[in-house]
Amino acid sequence: MSPRSHPSKRADQLVVLGQATPRAPGEVWLVGAGPGDPDLLTVKAVKALALADVVVHDGLVSEDILALAPAGARKLSVAKRKSRHAYAQDEINRMLVAFARDGLTVVRLKGGDPFIFGRGGEELEACRAAAIVCHVVPGVTAALAAAASAGAPLTHRGSAQAVTFVTGHAAAGLGPDGQARWGEPALDWESLAKTNQTLVVYMGLSAAPAVAARLIAAGREAATPALVVENASRRDERRIATTLGRLAADIAGLSGPALLMIGEAMALADVGATVDAQPVFALEARA
Ligand code: SAH
């Protein structure tokens, strides 16, 4: 493939061509990669990946999914989970804009849905500010996959008339002892403690004791059914059925990513072997 026939199409030509060739700006695709199982990608996500000159992805995005990008596309990981080498959000924003200005088609691949605790909004704003066209492709957010594989509906006639997605963490500061402390999200615990609704907590593992204590203090029964799903839709998915009162103790061994799901409808969760944790992987095996 010569640079002449594909003037803007290769990320690895960036350095070679530099600023010598004026280019039409490329575009950014903010793409939801879903919870892990490649078969939970949307058709549109697969099509967008096939267009990529460069894929800028989170640590949570699997190799199986990255393999759907063209072989020549450059793949950059910007957020290894719990790694010190993660990029700051403004660096990622600048990177997306810079690649697009260089004429590249940029796929920003994010776990789940880009607009559910994915900071997709900030990346979209950065593109808008730089007059770069930005498309958003929704993805299956982790809560939907976790509910599906456990057979625990997020809404349920008679026991869950609402579902709320919250984060277990807000931006945290350091405590007086110099240690990082829980950044308590500004949530209306009184309202979240009401019955007949499901509460899904993203990024809630380390905050679980505090979240459970707040909800119980605000009046939610300690006996309220709770479900925790780690690695939803992945081969190593783990599900724990518990109650709000026992939640923190029962998840002590998990290292995430995991969701806390609290509410009466979680009583329907089947955490046993009878529910297939990875229906599609199983289908592949059968084919
Ligand atoms: N945009 C993502 C959420 C990113 S925030 C989405 O829509 O799913 C990261 C948090 O998402 C994790 O701390 C965890 O709570 C949750 N999460 C992401 N992938 C998950 C998975 N496969 N199983 C369980 N929880 C997951």
Side-chain angles (χ1 to χ4, degrees), residues 35 111-113 116-117 141-142 202-203 229 231-232 234 257-259:
D113 180 86
I116 301 286
F117 305 121
T141 191
Y202 285 71
M203 294 171 280
V229 183
N231 291 313
R234 302 188 184 147
L259 293 172

Side-chain angles (χ1 to χ4, degrees), residues 38-64:
D39 284 357
L40 289 177
L41 281 165
T42 64
V43 173
K44 195 163 183 176
V46 174
K47 288 181 176 171
L49 265 171
L51 298 174
D53 296 312
V54 53
V55 180
V56 178
H57 62 92
D58 291 350
L60 285 176
V61 176
S62 75
E63 287 301 323
D64 289 351

Side-chain angles (χ1 to χ4, degrees), residues 1-21 23 53-54 72-74 99 102-104:
M1 174 162 48
S2 76
R4 212 177 155 71
S5 56
H6 296 277
S8 65
K9 288 296 167 200
R10 292 286 302 273
D12 57 6
Q13 286 164 3
L14 266 181
V15 178
V16 181
L17 297 177
Q19 320 227 320
T21 320
R23 300 160 180 222
D53 296 312
V54 53
R74 184 166 158 194
F99 280 135
D102 244 311
L104 301 173

Side-chain angles (χ1 to χ4, degrees), residues 82 168-169 182-183 202-211 248 251 254-255 258 260:
K82 294 187 178 162
H169 277 277
W182 181 41
Y202 285 71
M203 294 171 280
L205 266 192
S206 57
V211 167
I251 62 170
L254 301 191
S255 54
L260 318 179

Side-chain angles (χ1 to χ4, degrees), residues 111-159:
D113 180 86
F115 284 173
I116 301 286
F117 305 121
R119 305 192 71 171
E122 292 160 69
E123 294 168 8
L124 175 64
E125 282 185 311
C127 291
R128 282 181 178 156
I132 298 291
V133 173
C134 182
H135 310 269
V136 182
V137 180
V140 174
T141 191
L144 306 187
S149 65
L154 295 174
T155 67
H156 192 53
R157 206 175 156 85
S159 64

Side-chain angles (χ1 to χ4, degrees), residues 75 84 123 151 182 219 230 250 262:
K75 293 167 193 122
R84 284 161 184 250
E123 294 168 8
W182 181 41
E230 182 185 43
D250 282 357
I262 299 149

